[in-house]
Amino acid sequence: MSILIFGAEGQLGSELCRVLGHHDVSPFSHREADVTDLDVILKLAERIRPEVVINSAAYTDVDGCESARDKAILVNALGARNAAIAARRAGAKLVHISTDYVFDGEKDGPYVEYDPPNPINVYGWSKLLGERMVMEQNPDSFILRVAWLYGPAGRNFVKTMLSLARARDEIKVVDDQRGTPTFAGDVANQIDLLIETESYGLYHCTSQGECTWYEFAVEIFRLLGMDVRVVPVSTSEFPRPARRPANSVLDNLLLRVQGMDMMPHWRDSLSDHIGEVAGRV
């Protein structure tokens, strides 16, 4: 299968290149193919004629989006639209990556795909707009909402914790935001399964279970055998430009009911992959 990947050097893009290596993969970083340039994207798709287009390109600096709204909309919304147009013209399936931050965090319990979105920051709004533009431009699309991603490439919470641990004996971590740590390679495996189907639509795609950032940090250091004091604190003690949802736990309902949910529990996956993630810090 011929697959065109945008954002191939990112955290998820790197894992997609690895997992989908048994296919004919054409990977492009944002420097090689800017999704905000429709002409470039269209010409690329016309030349490669992919059967699948995967858009993992995004502006993911949540705080940065607050002061760079236009950039957030350009990359996360119009870039998604451009990828969808290119896939449609090539007659290809599209996989587009979205986020848990489309929700406001007020629900008591995990969010399912049909819960109404209500972002509380610019990043979330830009990603929600991207979802809607993808749906408008290409019905043969898989839209996957992921959350709390970590992996060997790029920046993530695991690497941040390890960097902080080298500089101090005590680390304060927020304990009133809940979500699900998700290994990027697991998402890539799930995508590998989905693209073999025509079960198009909107999906939640995270690991099983849930925790707070504090509980995530404690588990990271436990697995690595590191003696680091982790102190739970409230979100209010760490003011940030962008608000975060208190609850961004996602339920993979639509994958599960179709018998396609292959995402592991977050603790099991972290245990399996902590070494490769930590090894590149």
Side-chain angles (χ1 to χ4, degrees), residues 36-139:
T36 68
D37 190 328
L38 179 58
D39 289 339
V40 168
I41 299 307
L42 289 177
K43 290 176 182 177
L44 195 59
E46 182 179 4
R47 174 169 63 85
I48 295 175
R49 304 301 299 178
E51 297 166 81
V52 178
V53 174
I54 302 179
N55 179 35
S56 60
Y59 179 37
T60 58
D61 183 348
V62 177
D63 290 323
C65 285
E66 293 296 306
S67 58
R69 183 184 60 178
D70 289 2
K71 179 179 179 180
I73 297 298
L74 181 62
V75 177
N76 295 337
L78 295 179
R81 180 205 64 182
N82 294 346
I85 293 172
R88 188 189 70 223
R89 291 197 183 179
K93 303 174 182 179
L94 175 72
V95 179
H96 175 66
I97 308 302
S98 190
T99 176
D100 54 326
Y101 279 17
V102 299
F103 296 113
D104 59 17
E106 297 297 323
K107 184 179 180 181
D108 183 15
Y111 285 93
V112 295
E113 289 86 348
Y114 55 78
D115 280 323
N118 184 34
I120 57 174
N121 55 48
V122 172
Y123 172 70
W125 278 113
S126 69
K127 295 295 287 184
L128 179 59
L129 184 56
E131 289 184 6
R132 292 173 175 172
M133 287 187 168
V134 165
M135 292 176 184
E136 290 171 355
Q137 296 297 333
N138 190 346

Side-chain angles (χ1 to χ4, degrees), residues 246-260:
N247 170 33
S248 61
V249 180
L250 304 183
D251 179 2
N252 303 344
L253 174 64
L254 295 185
L255 286 175
R256 185 172 64 253
V257 297
Q258 295 179 89
M260 295 193 296

Side-chain angles (χ1 to χ4, degrees), residues 10-30:
Q11 187 159 232
L12 177 56
S14 297
E15 290 299 299
L16 285 165
C17 291
R18 179 183 63 82
V19 169
L20 300 177
H22 58 286
H23 294 288
D24 179 15
V25 176
S26 298
F28 290 87
S29 69
H30 73 277

Side-chain angles (χ1 to χ4, degrees), residues 93-273:
K93 303 174 182 179
L94 175 72
V95 179
H96 175 66
I97 308 302
S98 190
T99 176
D100 54 326
Y101 279 17
V102 299
F103 296 113
D104 59 17
E106 297 297 323
K107 184 179 180 181
D108 183 15
Y111 285 93
V112 295
E113 289 86 348
Y114 55 78
D115 280 323
N118 184 34
I120 57 174
N121 55 48
V122 172
Y123 172 70
W125 278 113
S126 69
K127 295 295 287 184
L128 179 59
L129 184 56
E131 289 184 6
R132 292 173 175 172
M133 287 187 168
V134 165
M135 292 176 184
E136 290 171 355
Q137 296 297 333
N138 190 346
D140 295 346
S141 295
F142 305 96
I143 300 174
L144 273 62
R145 290 174 178 157
V146 301
W148 292 26
L149 279 186
Y150 67 93
R155 296 180 300 171
N156 56 61
F157 183 77
V158 176
K159 293 182 179 182
T160 297
M161 288 298 101
L162 295 178
S163 294
L164 289 174
R166 292 192 178 98
R168 60 188 73 168
D169 296 326
E170 178 180 290
I171 302 174
K172 295 181 179 179
V173 182
V174 169
D175 195 34
D176 56 2
Q177 295 176 26
R178 300 194 69 80
T180 304
T182 302
F183 180 61
D186 294 332
V187 177
N189 283 321
Q190 186 70 67
I191 289 172
D192 193 18
L193 171 66
L194 277 173
I195 60 176
E196 298 289 350
T197 77
E198 294 185 354
S199 300
Y200 305 119
L202 172 66
Y203 292 95
H204 288 175
C205 183
T206 65
S207 290
Q208 314 299 330
E210 62 183 80
C211 65
T212 66
W213 290 112
Y214 164 77
E215 292 166 338
F216 187 14
V218 169
E219 185 66 3
I220 291 168
F221 295 128
R222 186 190 72 80
L223 288 171
L224 292 173
M226 297 177 64
D227 185 17
V228 180
R229 175 173 161 77
V230 185
V231 179
V233 297
S234 66
T235 298
S236 62
E237 293 183 56
F238 280 94
R240 306 282 291 274
R243 294 174 60 199
R244 266 69 167 177
N247 170 33
S248 61
V249 180
L250 304 183
D251 179 2
N252 303 344
L253 174 64
L254 295 185
L255 286 175
R256 185 172 64 253
V257 297
Q258 295 179 89
M260 295 193 296
D261 186 2
M262 57 189 297
M263 300 297 288
H265 194 280
W266 75 266
R267 289 184 184 274
D268 295 334
S269 194
L270 182 64
S271 177
D272 289 342
H273 301 289

